[in-house]
């Protein structure tokens, strides 16, 4: 491959892209945005809907909007998210809180429901900081032990690695579906089954897979899951997260932040907490309604695009990013720190070089925006709804120019 043939192939891939229409549904001007895995771009419709809610639902309907729509919104939007992106039947997904708080609530609920003698939480050292910290805090609150997996940073958590940690003292295993550093995709169905065979419960963090991969939670018989609203879901900064609890478990779990909005009859305002029906019991206080509105717009786009088409494009974008890196950057000593096999890679490709901290700073100045991850990684975030193949090539070529100028 040469630069020219990469250019030709980027142009061909963009011309044949079944999601090319979708780029125009997003606002903002940027030369090359490769960070949609950290903060998705705003759907144009998000601003329109937010303005309408402020003007009409909030402005004119005022408090009546709680009865008319807001009280039900966390559950209705959760069901829609579940149907379009999680393979989750209705009644198992709720929107609310940050990922951190939702993770805390579901993990604590699972730990508290564990049978006597099961007092270990399994998690891996490569997991996202908040996941590791929450596991440690719940373990210390409840007198549980943390059993750490030490995966290869690129190869990720495999069933073989997990097998050694599973024993009859394990209560919960919590893992990321897609690793935030390498983009490695864990084998969710196999691991879920493996955890069940060991008599434990699994809690998947879907932050880097929701809105990107065709996640099938019900098919895999997953117990619990959480995920982020502002990455591939394009819900905007601080968009609320979601929690998924399999229907068969809901009545057996009690979450720790027992506020009035999760009560069986919130407006009775009675003494003592009793859990609401279904997923309502996993809510706590007043949900962030305004912060949910952009998600209604991005889910419309995801519905139109279809999750399978989105995940196909993610694979092609990743393959192209790796091809461009091999062609233009390998000579500068850049290595690929993500799986090369399509099925094992999520929505970003991480590449490594000692100069990348400085290179990232210069890229940002030039309006080319990937992100930097310690110690020497650039993550090329590939968001199928918005990222073009031309944009990927522009970013990789810019990195090559900066490296050759050094
Ligand atoms: C982005 C991300 C989070 C973010 O948690 P917040 O509470 O939204 O800040 C958590 N876990 C993983 C794996 C993530 O990638």
């Amino acid at each position: 491959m040469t630069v020219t043939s990469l250019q030709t192939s980027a142009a061909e891939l963009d011309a044949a892209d079944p999601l090319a229409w979708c780029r125009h549904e997003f606002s903002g001007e940027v030369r090359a945005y490769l960070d949609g895995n950290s903060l998705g771009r705003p759907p144009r419709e998000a601003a329109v809907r937010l303005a309408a809610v402020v003007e009409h639902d909030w402005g004119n309907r005022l408090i009546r909007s709680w009865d008319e729509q807001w009280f039900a919104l966390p559950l209705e939007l959760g069901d829609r998210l579940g149907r379009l992106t999680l393979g989750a039947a209705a009644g198992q997904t709720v929107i609310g809180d940050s990922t951190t708080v939702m993770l805390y609530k579901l993990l604590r609920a699972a730990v508290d429901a564990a049978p006597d003698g099961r007092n270990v939480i399994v998690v891996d050292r490569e997991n996202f900081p908040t996941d590791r910290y929450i596991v440690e805090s719940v373990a210390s609150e409840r007198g549980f032990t943390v059993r750490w997996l030490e995966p290869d940073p690129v190869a990720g958590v495999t069933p073989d690695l997990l097998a050694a940690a599973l024993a009859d003292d394990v209560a919960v295993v919590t893992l990321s579906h897609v690793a935030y550093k390498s983009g490695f995709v864990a084998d969710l169905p196999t691991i879920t089954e493996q955890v069940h065979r060991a008599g434990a419960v699994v809690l998947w963090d879907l932050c880097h897979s929701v809105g990107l991969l065709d996640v099938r939670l019900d098919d895999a018989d997953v117990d619990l899951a959480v995920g982020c609203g502002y990455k591939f879901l394009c819900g905007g900064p601080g968009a609320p997260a979601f929690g998924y609890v399999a229907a068969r478990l809901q009545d057996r779990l009690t979450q720790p932040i027992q506020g009035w909005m999760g009560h069986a009859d919130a407006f009775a305002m009675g003494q003592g907490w009793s859990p609401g029906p279904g997923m309502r019991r996993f809510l706590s206080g007043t949900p962030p309604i305004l912060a949910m509105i952009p998600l209604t717009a991005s889910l419309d786009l995801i519905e139109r695009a279809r999750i399978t088409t989105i995940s196909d494009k993610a694979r092609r974008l990743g393959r192209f990013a790796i091809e461009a890196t091999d062609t233009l950057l390998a000579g500068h000593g850049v290595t690929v720190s993500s799986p090369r096999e399509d099925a094992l890679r999520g929505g970003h490709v991480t590449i490594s070089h000692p100069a990348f901290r400085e290179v990232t700073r210069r890229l940002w100045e030039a309006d080319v925006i990937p992100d930097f991850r310690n110690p020497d990684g650039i993550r090329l975030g590939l968001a199928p709804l918005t990222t073009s193949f031309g944009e990927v090539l522009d970013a990789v070529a810019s990195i090559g120019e900066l490296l050759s100028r050094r």
Side-chain angles (χ1 to χ4, degrees), residues 172-192:
V172 186
V173 175
T174 183
L175 299 171
S176 282
H177 185 202
V178 173
Y180 81 103
K181 274 198 276 188
S182 69
F184 170 81
V185 183
D187 185 345
L188 180 144
T190 303
I191 289 178
T192 299

Side-chain angles (χ1 to χ4, degrees), residues 97-105 128 130-131 134 226 241:
D97 310 308
S98 63
T99 307
T100 302
V101 172
M102 192 57 88
L103 182 70
Y104 171 73
K105 295 202 290 190
F128 191 81
T130 222
D131 299 61
I134 290 294
V226 296

Side-chain angles (χ1 to χ4, degrees), residues 88-165:
Q92 303 180 102
T93 312
V94 71
I95 312 270
D97 310 308
S98 63
T99 307
T100 302
V101 172
M102 192 57 88
L103 182 70
Y104 171 73
K105 295 202 290 190
L106 297 193
L107 182 63
R108 252 286 301 258
V111 155
D112 289 351
D116 285 348
R118 290 192 177 264
N119 53 13
V120 170
I121 307 172
V122 176
V123 66
D124 68 289
R125 289 276 179 205
E126 291 295 314
N127 212 331
F128 191 81
T130 222
D131 299 61
R132 290 182 274 115
Y133 304 157
I134 290 294
V135 165
E136 289 176 308
S137 79
V138 169
S140 85
E141 267 177 6
R142 299 321 248 183
F144 274 46
T145 305
V146 182
R147 187 166 297 150
W148 293 97
L149 305 172
E150 313 262 359
D152 175 275
V154 179
V157 177
T158 59
D160 280 349
L161 183 75
L162 180 60

Side-chain angles (χ1 to χ4, degrees), residues 136-378:
E136 289 176 308
S137 79
V138 169
S140 85
E141 267 177 6
R142 299 321 248 183
F144 274 46
T145 305
V146 182
R147 187 166 297 150
W148 293 97
L149 305 172
E150 313 262 359
D152 175 275
V154 179
V157 177
T158 59
D160 280 349
L161 183 75
L162 180 60
L166 286 176
D168 59 11
D169 57 357
V170 174
V172 186
V173 175
T174 183
L175 299 171
S176 282
H177 185 202
V178 173
Y180 81 103
K181 274 198 276 188
S182 69
F184 170 81
V185 183
D187 185 345
L188 180 144
T190 303
I191 289 178
T192 299
E193 204 195 318
Q194 185 184 15
V195 171
H196 288 170
R197 259 188 282 117
V201 161
V202 71
L203 195 175
W204 285 101
D205 185 324
L206 307 177
C207 280
H208 278 277
S209 57
V210 65
L212 180 86
L213 300 183
D214 185 15
V215 183
R216 312 227 52 100
L217 296 181
D218 287 355
D219 286 355
D221 204 21
V222 164
D223 303 299
L224 305 164
V226 296
C228 183
Y230 51 80
K231 291 173 179 164
F232 294 109
L233 286 182
C234 301
F242 67 86
Y244 164 97
V245 180
R248 64 189 152 76
L249 289 177
Q250 290 169 12
D251 291 347
R252 292 165 40 203
L253 298 184
T254 308
Q255 59 99 348
I257 307 179
Q258 300 172 354
W260 71 303
M261 279 283 172
H263 191 278
D265 188 357
F267 292 99
M269 312 219 159
Q271 298 299 324
W273 190 75
S274 62
M279 289 306 289
R280 180 161 295 281
R281 66 170 59 207
F282 298 98
L283 285 177
S284 296
T286 303
I289 299 298
L290 288 180
M292 290 183 199
I293 302 306
L295 282 172
T296 68
S298 52
L299 285 179
D300 284 355
L301 295 174
I302 289 172
E303 178 158 36
R304 215 174 124 194
R306 306 173 75 95
I307 196 71
T308 44
T309 310
I310 293 172
S311 65
D312 283 351
K313 183 177 171 188
R315 305 242 144 93
R316 283 197 301 278
L317 282 166
R319 208 179 308 154
F320 183 70
I322 290 175
E323 226 167 68
T325 300
D326 288 343
T327 307
L328 303 177
L329 305 181
H332 295 287
V334 174
T335 54
V336 173
S337 310
S338 290
R340 286 176 174 269
E341 199 178 316
D342 286 354
L344 297 182
R345 197 180 55 238
H348 59 275
V349 168
T350 303
I351 57 179
S352 304
H353 187 283
F356 272 175
R357 187 186 294 274
E358 173 62 13
V359 165
T360 306
R361 200 176 60 72
R362 292 187 184 268
L363 287 169
W364 280 37
E365 285 166 8
D367 206 26
V368 173
I369 313 197
D371 70 14
F372 176 78
R373 281 292 174 271
N374 261 334
D376 60 0
I378 281 181

Side-chain angles (χ1 to χ4, degrees), residues 9-126:
S9 107
E12 282 168 5
L13 286 161
D14 279 327
D17 177 8
L19 296 180
W21 59 271
C22 198
R23 251 171 100 72
H24 310 292
E25 301 292 329
F26 287 80
S27 54
E29 296 289 332
V30 63
R31 180 175 147 195
Y33 189 60
L34 293 150
D35 216 356
N37 58 325
S38 275
L39 179 66
R41 296 180 61 178
R44 285 186 194 285
E45 185 65 17
V48 177
R49 289 200 195 166
L50 277 167
V53 170
V54 172
E55 193 65 26
H56 180 263
D57 302 353
W58 180 12
N60 297 338
R61 299 309 296 160
L62 291 158
I63 196 86
R64 291 169 290 192
S65 278
W66 278 107
D67 287 341
E68 289 165 1
Q69 45 176 326
W70 295 338
F71 192 66
L73 189 61
L75 298 164
E76 282 177 7
L77 199 57
D79 281 349
R80 184 152 188 245
L81 177 76
R83 176 169 62 80
L84 294 176
T85 67
L86 302 175
Q92 303 180 102
T93 312
V94 71
I95 312 270
D97 310 308
S98 63
T99 307
T100 302
V101 172
M102 192 57 88
L103 182 70
Y104 171 73
K105 295 202 290 190
L106 297 193
L107 182 63
R108 252 286 301 258
V111 155
D112 289 351
D116 285 348
R118 290 192 177 264
N119 53 13
V120 170
I121 307 172
V122 176
V123 66
D124 68 289
R125 289 276 179 205
E126 291 295 314

